Amino acid sequence: MGLVAVDDRSGMLTTFDARTRAATGSPVQIGGAPVDVALAGDTAWVADAAGGRIVAVDLATGAIERTVDVGRRPVAIAAAGEDVYVVTAGE
């Protein structure tokens, strides 16, 4: 597995080779303001603060698998096995 990063300005998720640190594959447009990412196997879970949702991205294909509205601004995310934990902020 390589490195994964999100950019809240462009709304993109990008994967990188861990050894060379070069971008691999095409960036995935998440939209909104992705602020954190957690890995669970071949899935990247992305916290989209502006959209009030989390987004699951299949890292093998770059496809968005699903989105889950969390109702508030998600600011942090963690994954453990098949469980995903989200921290939200705001009212």
Side-chain angles (χ1 to χ4, degrees):
M1 175 80 51
L3 305 172
V4 180
V6 290
D7 179 7
D8 64 335
R9 291 184 184 188
S10 68
M12 302 290 241
L13 175 137
T14 305
T15 57
F16 297 88
D17 181 283
R19 186 178 55 78
T20 66
R21 296 189 179 141
T24 60
S26 298
V28 177
Q29 179 67 48
I30 302 298
V35 294
D36 198 13
V37 61
L39 300 179
D42 288 334
T43 301
W45 283 95
V46 180
D48 171 15
R53 64 189 180 138
I54 58 174
V55 180
V57 177
D58 182 327
L59 292 175
T61 64
I64 293 178
E65 295 178 327
R66 64 182 163 162
T67 62
V68 179
D69 292 328
V70 295
R72 292 184 174 196
R73 185 170 52 108
V75 294
I77 192 165
E82 294 186 18
D83 297 324
V84 177
Y85 303 91
V86 181
V87 175
T88 61
E91 297 179 21

